[in-house]
Amino acid sequence: MTQSKRDKQLADTIMALSAPDFPNHFSGWVKQLAAFDNLIIIAYQGERRPEVLYRECVDPVVYQQMDSHYLEGAYLLDPFYREHLKGGVQGIRRLADVAPDRFWRTHYYKHYYRQTTLLDEIAIFARLENGVTLNACFGKDRSSNQPFSQAELTALGRHELTLAGLLSRHWQHYRPESAPNARPLTLEKRLREALDQQRGIQLSPRQAEVALFILRGHSSLSISLHLDVSLQTVKVFRRQLYAKCRISSQAELFALLMPFFAQLTSSISTR
């Protein structure tokens, strides 16, 4: 596509701001920068259940478990969701650059993410008011069977402020369906309460933190750096965690805790 045609597509996208067909124009313009296979635009709202604002794909299998798994709690282990929780995130992030050091070995990756057939993902983050973050996630899956090229990454990076600005302007009046009246307890605190009440497992705050770090794909060294404690201390917390939960592997930890995630996220909106 020539530069003039690309500019016209951008102009059409701008003219479509606040109109129902804006996502289609936005998608069409980005396709001239990077030939993605799928696109999903999500609104992250603190630690509450995200809301999907738009999705498109070539192969439907990529979103087959989106509603039943991801939105019901698996998002808590998504590296892009963790970027949102940092606050103030804006612009481009590539999954390979923000994922923890052992993300590709996690039970989440092997038993959920890999089933989507995704090979590469790039997200455009845009900030809204009230702690809401928009995430327009462009993916490459088995449809093309190849990651984004360096030329595509460069093109997206060159326009990241424009991309984020368009998203923010179009959804500037977006408000979560049921905004909470009070700040919810941290995920670690809610997890500890649920485990205690339903399983009689009493974790310390640090043990709960370590459990979530493990599930997200952090090695013991990475956890020690995030918590600013020694590697040996992390290993002690890990042994204590496994002993209290009467398990011996990450797979067992995932099987134990994943059923709680849907409960924990749904409980936020009822507070």
Side-chain angles (χ1 to χ4, degrees), residues 222-261:
S222 177
I223 296 172
S224 72
L225 294 173
H226 277 81
L227 298 182
D228 195 23
V229 298
S230 72
L231 179 60
Q232 188 58 41
T233 298
V234 172
K235 292 180 178 180
V236 170
F237 283 136
R238 191 167 188 151
R239 286 197 298 270
Q240 292 172 341
L241 166 68
Y242 281 22
K244 284 188 176 181
C245 294
R246 297 181 290 281
I247 58 175
S248 59
S249 69
Q250 183 196 115
E252 290 179 289
L253 182 65
F254 184 90
L256 172 67
L257 299 188
M258 273 306 295
F260 286 97
F261 284 176

mmCIF file of all heavy atoms in Angstrom, residues 222-261:
data_model
loop_
_atom_site.group_PDB
_atom_site.id
_atom_site.type_symbol
_atom_site.label_atom_id
_atom_site.label_comp_id
_atom_site.label_asym_id
_atom_site.label_seq_id
_atom_site.Cartn_x
_atom_site.Cartn_y
_atom_site.Cartn_z
ATOM 1 N N SER A 222 14.107 -14.881 40.175
ATOM 2 C CA SER A 222 13.275 -13.737 39.805
ATOM 3 C C SER A 222 12.404 -13.300 40.988
ATOM 4 O O SER A 222 12.236 -12.105 41.239
ATOM 5 C CB SER A 222 12.392 -14.103 38.617
ATOM 6 O OG SER A 222 11.533 -13.037 38.281
ATOM 7 N N ILE A 223 11.855 -14.257 41.716
ATOM 8 C CA ILE A 223 11.020 -13.932 42.885
ATOM 9 C C ILE A 223 11.848 -13.196 43.929
ATOM 10 O O ILE A 223 11.392 -12.215 44.527
ATOM 11 C CB ILE A 223 10.414 -15.214 43.487
ATOM 12 C CG1 ILE A 223 9.459 -15.871 42.492
ATOM 13 C CG2 ILE A 223 9.663 -14.896 44.789
ATOM 14 C CD1 ILE A 223 8.967 -17.244 42.931
ATOM 15 N N SER A 224 13.075 -13.654 44.140
ATOM 16 C CA SER A 224 13.926 -13.002 45.145
ATOM 17 C C SER A 224 14.210 -11.552 44.777
ATOM 18 O O SER A 224 14.250 -10.671 45.647
ATOM 19 C CB SER A 224 15.249 -13.777 45.306
ATOM 20 O OG SER A 224 16.094 -13.600 44.175
ATOM 21 N N LEU A 225 14.373 -11.283 43.484
ATOM 22 C CA LEU A 225 14.627 -9.921 43.036
ATOM 23 C C LEU A 225 13.385 -9.049 43.203
ATOM 24 O O LEU A 225 13.488 -7.883 43.596
ATOM 25 C CB LEU A 225 15.074 -9.927 41.569
ATOM 26 C CG LEU A 225 16.427 -10.597 41.284
ATOM 27 C CD1 LEU A 225 16.674 -10.697 39.783
ATOM 28 C CD2 LEU A 225 17.557 -9.826 41.964
ATOM 29 N N HIS A 226 12.205 -9.597 42.910
ATOM 30 C CA HIS A 226 10.970 -8.827 43.047
ATOM 31 C C HIS A 226 10.626 -8.539 44.509
ATOM 32 O O HIS A 226 10.128 -7.459 44.840
ATOM 33 C CB HIS A 226 9.804 -9.583 42.397
ATOM 34 C CG HIS A 226 9.690 -9.385 40.919
ATOM 35 N ND1 HIS A 226 10.465 -10.097 40.008
ATOM 36 C CD2 HIS A 226 8.917 -8.550 40.166
ATOM 37 C CE1 HIS A 226 10.167 -9.704 38.783
ATOM 38 N NE2 HIS A 226 9.231 -8.776 38.845
ATOM 39 N N LEU A 227 10.894 -9.507 45.374
ATOM 40 C CA LEU A 227 10.547 -9.341 46.794
ATOM 41 C C LEU A 227 11.700 -8.751 47.605
ATOM 42 O O LEU A 227 11.526 -8.456 48.789
ATOM 43 C CB LEU A 227 10.135 -10.687 47.396
ATOM 44 C CG LEU A 227 8.887 -11.353 46.792
ATOM 45 C CD1 LEU A 227 8.571 -12.656 47.532
ATOM 46 C CD2 LEU A 227 7.692 -10.410 46.862
ATOM 47 N N ASP A 228 12.860 -8.608 46.963
ATOM 48 C CA ASP A 228 14.047 -8.063 47.631
ATOM 49 C C ASP A 228 14.425 -8.893 48.854
ATOM 50 O O ASP A 228 14.669 -8.371 49.947
ATOM 51 C CB ASP A 228 13.804 -6.599 48.039
ATOM 52 C CG ASP A 228 15.106 -5.886 48.395
ATOM 53 O OD1 ASP A 228 16.175 -6.328 47.924
ATOM 54 O OD2 ASP A 228 15.054 -4.894 49.152
ATOM 55 N N VAL A 229 14.447 -10.193 48.659
ATOM 56 C CA VAL A 229 14.901 -11.120 49.698
ATOM 57 C C VAL A 229 15.913 -12.055 49.063
ATOM 58 O O VAL A 229 16.068 -12.101 47.839
ATOM 59 C CB VAL A 229 13.727 -11.941 50.290
ATOM 60 C CG1 VAL A 229 12.713 -11.020 50.969
ATOM 61 C CG2 VAL A 229 13.045 -12.791 49.224
ATOM 62 N N SER A 230 16.607 -12.824 49.887
ATOM 63 C CA SER A 230 17.622 -13.724 49.357
ATOM 64 C C SER A 230 16.994 -14.903 48.632
ATOM 65 O O SER A 230 15.839 -15.264 48.882
ATOM 66 C CB SER A 230 18.513 -14.239 50.491
ATOM 67 O OG SER A 230 17.797 -15.161 51.303
ATOM 68 N N LEU A 231 17.776 -15.513 47.763
ATOM 69 C CA LEU A 231 17.317 -16.696 47.043
ATOM 70 C C LEU A 231 16.997 -17.820 48.014
ATOM 71 O O LEU A 231 16.007 -18.549 47.841
ATOM 72 C CB LEU A 231 18.399 -17.135 46.049
ATOM 73 C CG LEU A 231 18.109 -18.382 45.214
ATOM 74 C CD1 LEU A 231 16.857 -18.199 44.372
ATOM 75 C CD2 LEU A 231 19.311 -18.697 44.317
ATOM 76 N N GLN A 232 17.809 -17.958 49.036
ATOM 77 C CA GLN A 232 17.571 -19.006 50.030
ATOM 78 C C GLN A 232 16.252 -18.788 50.753
ATOM 79 O O GLN A 232 15.522 -19.747 51.037
ATOM 80 C CB GLN A 232 18.727 -19.047 51.046
ATOM 81 C CG GLN A 232 18.672 -20.224 52.002
ATOM 82 C CD GLN A 232 18.662 -21.565 51.292
ATOM 83 O OE1 GLN A 232 19.382 -21.758 50.305
ATOM 84 N NE2 GLN A 232 17.843 -22.489 51.763
ATOM 85 N N THR A 233 15.918 -17.531 51.042
ATOM 86 C CA THR A 233 14.647 -17.230 51.712
ATOM 87 C C THR A 233 13.468 -17.632 50.843
ATOM 88 O O THR A 233 12.479 -18.185 51.326
ATOM 89 C CB THR A 233 14.566 -15.728 52.043
ATOM 90 O OG1 THR A 233 15.632 -15.384 52.939
ATOM 91 C CG2 THR A 233 13.231 -15.390 52.697
ATOM 92 N N VAL A 234 13.571 -17.357 49.533
ATOM 93 C CA VAL A 234 12.507 -17.751 48.613
ATOM 94 C C VAL A 234 12.337 -19.270 48.618
ATOM 95 O O VAL A 234 11.212 -19.781 48.623
ATOM 96 C CB VAL A 234 12.801 -17.258 47.179
ATOM 97 C CG1 VAL A 234 11.784 -17.841 46.197
ATOM 98 C CG2 VAL A 234 12.772 -15.750 47.130
ATOM 99 N N LYS A 235 13.439 -19.994 48.626
ATOM 100 C CA LYS A 235 13.366 -21.454 48.640
ATOM 101 C C LYS A 235 12.689 -21.965 49.904
ATOM 102 O O LYS A 235 11.939 -22.949 49.869
ATOM 103 C CB LYS A 235 14.765 -22.044 48.495
ATOM 104 C CG LYS A 235 15.386 -21.808 47.122
ATOM 105 C CD LYS A 235 16.776 -22.419 47.021
ATOM 106 C CE LYS A 235 17.370 -22.220 45.624
ATOM 107 N NZ LYS A 235 18.727 -22.799 45.499
ATOM 108 N N VAL A 236 12.942 -21.286 51.009
ATOM 109 C CA VAL A 236 12.284 -21.657 52.267
ATOM 110 C C VAL A 236 10.776 -21.421 52.158
ATOM 111 O O VAL A 236 9.975 -22.289 52.527
ATOM 112 C CB VAL A 236 12.861 -20.854 53.452
ATOM 113 C CG1 VAL A 236 12.003 -21.061 54.706
ATOM 114 C CG2 VAL A 236 14.302 -21.272 53.719
ATOM 115 N N PHE A 237 10.377 -20.240 51.654
ATOM 116 C CA PHE A 237 8.947 -19.945 51.474
ATOM 117 C C PHE A 237 8.294 -20.983 50.559
ATOM 118 O O PHE A 237 7.166 -21.417 50.797
ATOM 119 C CB PHE A 237 8.764 -18.547 50.864
ATOM 120 C CG PHE A 237 8.958 -17.423 51.840
ATOM 121 C CD1 PHE A 237 9.695 -16.298 51.472
ATOM 122 C CD2 PHE A 237 8.399 -17.460 53.107
ATOM 123 C CE1 PHE A 237 9.870 -15.247 52.356
ATOM 124 C CE2 PHE A 237 8.565 -16.406 53.998
ATOM 125 C CZ PHE A 237 9.307 -15.305 53.622
ATOM 126 N N ARG A 238 9.018 -21.374 49.528
ATOM 127 C CA ARG A 238 8.470 -22.324 48.556
ATOM 128 C C ARG A 238 8.248 -23.687 49.206
ATOM 129 O O ARG A 238 7.202 -24.316 49.004
ATOM 130 C CB ARG A 238 9.414 -22.436 47.365
ATOM 131 C CG ARG A 238 8.837 -23.180 46.180
ATOM 132 C CD ARG A 238 9.687 -22.973 44.938
ATOM 133 N NE ARG A 238 9.063 -23.528 43.748
ATOM 134 C CZ ARG A 238 9.256 -23.065 42.538
ATOM 135 N NH1 ARG A 238 10.032 -22.014 42.336
ATOM 136 N NH2 ARG A 238 8.654 -23.636 41.504
ATOM 137 N N ARG A 239 9.226 -24.138 49.989
ATOM 138 C CA ARG A 239 9.082 -25.426 50.683
ATOM 139 C C ARG A 239 7.921 -25.379 51.674
ATOM 140 O O ARG A 239 7.122 -26.321 51.776
ATOM 141 C CB ARG A 239 10.387 -25.790 51.406
ATOM 142 C CG ARG A 239 11.500 -26.257 50.494
ATOM 143 C CD ARG A 239 12.587 -26.983 51.283
ATOM 144 N NE ARG A 239 13.218 -26.108 52.261
ATOM 145 C CZ ARG A 239 14.289 -25.361 52.021
ATOM 146 N NH1 ARG A 239 14.845 -25.378 50.808
ATOM 147 N NH2 ARG A 239 14.814 -24.596 52.963
ATOM 148 N N GLN A 240 7.800 -24.262 52.398
ATOM 149 C CA GLN A 240 6.714 -24.118 53.365
ATOM 150 C C GLN A 240 5.355 -24.108 52.648
ATOM 151 O O GLN A 240 4.389 -24.712 53.129
ATOM 152 C CB GLN A 240 6.895 -22.816 54.150
ATOM 153 C CG GLN A 240 8.100 -22.807 55.076
ATOM 154 C CD GLN A 240 8.337 -21.436 55.687
ATOM 155 O OE1 GLN A 240 7.853 -20.418 55.190
ATOM 156 N NE2 GLN A 240 9.103 -21.394 56.778
ATOM 157 N N LEU A 241 5.295 -23.406 51.522
ATOM 158 C CA LEU A 241 4.063 -23.332 50.746
ATOM 159 C C LEU A 241 3.618 -24.718 50.292
ATOM 160 O O LEU A 241 2.457 -25.105 50.486
ATOM 161 C CB LEU A 241 4.293 -22.429 49.524
ATOM 162 C CG LEU A 241 3.238 -22.471 48.412
ATOM 163 C CD1 LEU A 241 1.922 -21.871 48.912
ATOM 164 C CD2 LEU A 241 3.736 -21.714 47.182
ATOM 165 N N TYR A 242 4.536 -25.479 49.705
ATOM 166 C CA TYR A 242 4.196 -26.812 49.222
ATOM 167 C C TYR A 242 3.790 -27.732 50.372
ATOM 168 O O TYR A 242 2.873 -28.550 50.227
ATOM 169 C CB TYR A 242 5.383 -27.411 48.463
ATOM 170 C CG TYR A 242 5.530 -26.903 47.037
ATOM 171 C CD1 TYR A 242 4.961 -25.691 46.633
ATOM 172 C CD2 TYR A 242 6.246 -27.619 46.089
ATOM 173 C CE1 TYR A 242 5.094 -25.233 45.339
ATOM 174 C CE2 TYR A 242 6.387 -27.168 44.784
ATOM 175 C CZ TYR A 242 5.820 -25.964 44.416
ATOM 176 O OH TYR A 242 5.949 -25.503 43.124
ATOM 177 N N ALA A 243 4.466 -27.597 51.495
ATOM 178 C CA ALA A 243 4.147 -28.439 52.654
ATOM 179 C C ALA A 243 2.743 -28.133 53.177
ATOM 180 O O ALA A 243 1.956 -29.045 53.461
ATOM 181 C CB ALA A 243 5.181 -28.232 53.751
ATOM 182 N N LYS A 244 2.411 -26.843 53.313
ATOM 183 C CA LYS A 244 1.087 -26.467 53.812
ATOM 184 C C LYS A 244 -0.023 -26.907 52.858
ATOM 185 O O LYS A 244 -1.121 -27.275 53.294
ATOM 186 C CB LYS A 244 1.013 -24.948 54.022
ATOM 187 C CG LYS A 244 1.728 -24.470 55.274
ATOM 188 C CD LYS A 244 1.445 -22.985 55.520
ATOM 189 C CE LYS A 244 2.076 -22.519 56.819
ATOM 190 N NZ LYS A 244 1.787 -21.084 57.098
ATOM 191 N N CYS A 245 0.250 -26.846 51.558
ATOM 192 C CA CYS A 245 -0.757 -27.228 50.556
ATOM 193 C C CYS A 245 -0.742 -28.732 50.270
ATOM 194 O O CYS A 245 -1.586 -29.221 49.505
ATOM 195 C CB CYS A 245 -0.517 -26.464 49.263
ATOM 196 S SG CYS A 245 -0.777 -24.682 49.393
ATOM 197 N N ARG A 246 0.232 -29.422 50.866
ATOM 198 C CA ARG A 246 0.382 -30.875 50.686
ATOM 199 C C ARG A 246 0.517 -31.234 49.194
ATOM 200 O O ARG A 246 -0.170 -32.098 48.668
ATOM 201 C CB ARG A 246 -0.789 -31.630 51.323
ATOM 202 C CG ARG A 246 -0.863 -31.444 52.829
ATOM 203 C CD ARG A 246 -2.000 -32.222 53.452
ATOM 204 N NE ARG A 246 -3.300 -31.672 53.097
ATOM 205 C CZ ARG A 246 -3.845 -30.600 53.674
ATOM 206 N NH1 ARG A 246 -3.196 -29.963 54.631
ATOM 207 N NH2 ARG A 246 -5.041 -30.169 53.298
ATOM 208 N N ILE A 247 1.415 -30.508 48.528
ATOM 209 C CA ILE A 247 1.692 -30.736 47.115
ATOM 210 C C ILE A 247 3.209 -30.810 46.924
ATOM 211 O O ILE A 247 3.975 -30.516 47.856
ATOM 212 C CB ILE A 247 1.128 -29.610 46.226
ATOM 213 C CG1 ILE A 247 1.723 -28.254 46.642
ATOM 214 C CG2 ILE A 247 -0.395 -29.573 46.306
ATOM 215 C CD1 ILE A 247 1.332 -27.098 45.748
ATOM 216 N N SER A 248 3.631 -31.146 45.689
ATOM 217 C CA SER A 248 5.069 -31.261 45.437
ATOM 218 C C SER A 248 5.490 -30.702 44.083
ATOM 219 O O SER A 248 6.642 -30.868 43.685
ATOM 220 C CB SER A 248 5.507 -32.727 45.530
ATOM 221 O OG SER A 248 4.791 -33.522 44.592
ATOM 222 N N SER A 249 4.566 -30.047 43.375
ATOM 223 C CA SER A 249 4.928 -29.533 42.047
ATOM 224 C C SER A 249 4.109 -28.301 41.691
ATOM 225 O O SER A 249 3.060 -28.036 42.296
ATOM 226 C CB SER A 249 4.699 -30.606 40.978
ATOM 227 O OG SER A 249 3.314 -30.859 40.813
ATOM 228 N N GLN A 250 4.593 -27.573 40.688
ATOM 229 C CA GLN A 250 3.867 -26.407 40.196
ATOM 230 C C GLN A 250 2.526 -26.818 39.596
ATOM 231 O O GLN A 250 1.532 -26.107 39.721
ATOM 232 C CB GLN A 250 4.687 -25.659 39.147
ATOM 233 C CG GLN A 250 4.024 -24.391 38.643
ATOM 234 C CD GLN A 250 4.628 -23.851 37.361
ATOM 235 O OE1 GLN A 250 3.993 -23.804 36.317
ATOM 236 N NE2 GLN A 250 5.883 -23.438 37.437
ATOM 237 N N ALA A 251 2.502 -27.960 38.906
ATOM 238 C CA ALA A 251 1.256 -28.442 38.305
ATOM 239 C C ALA A 251 0.183 -28.654 39.375
ATOM 240 O O ALA A 251 -0.987 -28.305 39.182
ATOM 241 C CB ALA A 251 1.504 -29.739 37.549
ATOM 242 N N GLU A 252 0.568 -29.194 40.522
ATOM 243 C CA GLU A 252 -0.386 -29.403 41.617
ATOM 244 C C GLU A 252 -0.820 -28.071 42.220
ATOM 245 O O GLU A 252 -1.979 -27.908 42.613
ATOM 246 C CB GLU A 252 0.241 -30.293 42.688
ATOM 247 C CG GLU A 252 0.446 -31.732 42.272
ATOM 248 C CD GLU A 252 1.091 -32.564 43.369
ATOM 249 O OE1 GLU A 252 2.297 -32.352 43.630
ATOM 250 O OE2 GLU A 252 0.396 -33.400 43.963
ATOM 251 N N LEU A 253 0.105 -27.115 42.278
ATOM 252 C CA LEU A 253 -0.234 -25.786 42.786
ATOM 253 C C LEU A 253 -1.254 -25.127 41.871
ATOM 254 O O LEU A 253 -2.227 -24.523 42.329
ATOM 255 C CB LEU A 253 1.028 -24.924 42.882
ATOM 256 C CG LEU A 253 0.845 -23.511 43.457
ATOM 257 C CD1 LEU A 253 0.422 -23.571 44.917
ATOM 258 C CD2 LEU A 253 2.137 -22.706 43.313
ATOM 259 N N PHE A 254 -1.043 -25.229 40.568
ATOM 260 C CA PHE A 254 -1.972 -24.674 39.587
ATOM 261 C C PHE A 254 -3.355 -25.321 39.740
ATOM 262 O O PHE A 254 -4.375 -24.637 39.756
ATOM 263 C CB PHE A 254 -1.425 -24.923 38.170
ATOM 264 C CG PHE A 254 -2.247 -24.317 37.074
ATOM 265 C CD1 PHE A 254 -1.991 -23.031 36.627
ATOM 266 C CD2 PHE A 254 -3.276 -25.039 36.468
ATOM 267 C CE1 PHE A 254 -2.732 -22.467 35.593
ATOM 268 C CE2 PHE A 254 -4.029 -24.485 35.445
ATOM 269 C CZ PHE A 254 -3.758 -23.197 35.013
ATOM 270 N N ALA A 255 -3.391 -26.650 39.855
ATOM 271 C CA ALA A 255 -4.660 -27.371 39.983
ATOM 272 C C ALA A 255 -5.390 -26.987 41.261
ATOM 273 O O ALA A 255 -6.624 -26.911 41.303
ATOM 274 C CB ALA A 255 -4.403 -28.876 39.963
ATOM 275 N N LEU A 256 -4.639 -26.698 42.308
ATOM 276 C CA LEU A 256 -5.244 -26.310 43.586
ATOM 277 C C LEU A 256 -5.821 -24.907 43.540
ATOM 278 O O LEU A 256 -6.951 -24.669 44.005
ATOM 279 C CB LEU A 256 -4.193 -26.390 44.703
ATOM 280 C CG LEU A 256 -4.610 -25.833 46.081
ATOM 281 C CD1 LEU A 256 -5.715 -26.687 46.701
ATOM 282 C CD2 LEU A 256 -3.394 -25.746 47.012
ATOM 283 N N LEU A 257 -5.069 -23.969 42.960
ATOM 284 C CA LEU A 257 -5.455 -22.558 43.062
ATOM 285 C C LEU A 257 -6.352 -22.038 41.939
ATOM 286 O O LEU A 257 -7.143 -21.123 42.169
ATOM 287 C CB LEU A 257 -4.199 -21.684 43.137
ATOM 288 C CG LEU A 257 -3.268 -21.918 44.329
ATOM 289 C CD1 LEU A 257 -2.185 -20.854 44.369
ATOM 290 C CD2 LEU A 257 -4.047 -21.920 45.641
ATOM 291 N N MET A 258 -6.242 -22.596 40.746
ATOM 292 C CA MET A 258 -7.029 -22.063 39.629
ATOM 293 C C MET A 258 -8.539 -22.033 39.894
ATOM 294 O O MET A 258 -9.207 -21.049 39.538
ATOM 295 C CB MET A 258 -6.744 -22.845 38.346
ATOM 296 C CG MET A 258 -5.545 -22.330 37.566
ATOM 297 S SD MET A 258 -5.619 -20.561 37.188
ATOM 298 C CE MET A 258 -7.038 -20.492 36.100
ATOM 299 N N PRO A 259 -9.126 -23.061 40.535
ATOM 300 C CA PRO A 259 -10.571 -22.989 40.804
ATOM 301 C C PRO A 259 -10.972 -21.813 41.684
ATOM 302 O O PRO A 259 -12.120 -21.367 41.660
ATOM 303 C CB PRO A 259 -10.864 -24.329 41.516
ATOM 304 C CG PRO A 259 -9.798 -25.241 41.018
ATOM 305 C CD PRO A 259 -8.577 -24.383 40.893
ATOM 306 N N PHE A 260 -10.019 -21.296 42.459
ATOM 307 C CA PHE A 260 -10.323 -20.173 43.336
ATOM 308 C C PHE A 260 -10.346 -18.843 42.583
ATOM 309 O O PHE A 260 -10.990 -17.890 43.020
ATOM 310 C CB PHE A 260 -9.285 -20.074 44.464
ATOM 311 C CG PHE A 260 -9.428 -21.114 45.525
ATOM 312 C CD1 PHE A 260 -8.655 -22.260 45.490
ATOM 313 C CD2 PHE A 260 -10.343 -20.975 46.557
ATOM 314 C CE1 PHE A 260 -8.766 -23.235 46.457
ATOM 315 C CE2 PHE A 260 -10.474 -21.934 47.528
ATOM 316 C CZ PHE A 260 -9.687 -23.075 47.482
ATOM 317 N N PHE A 261 -9.635 -18.753 41.454
ATOM 318 C CA PHE A 261 -9.485 -17.471 40.785
ATOM 319 C C PHE A 261 -10.814 -16.877 40.324
ATOM 320 O O PHE A 261 -11.047 -15.679 40.457
ATOM 321 C CB PHE A 261 -8.523 -17.594 39.603
ATOM 322 C CG PHE A 261 -7.076 -17.677 40.002
ATOM 323 C CD1 PHE A 261 -6.088 -17.879 39.064
ATOM 324 C CD2 PHE A 261 -6.700 -17.550 41.335
ATOM 325 C CE1 PHE A 261 -4.750 -17.943 39.429
ATOM 326 C CE2 PHE A 261 -5.379 -17.620 41.721
ATOM 327 C CZ PHE A 261 -4.395 -17.824 40.766
#
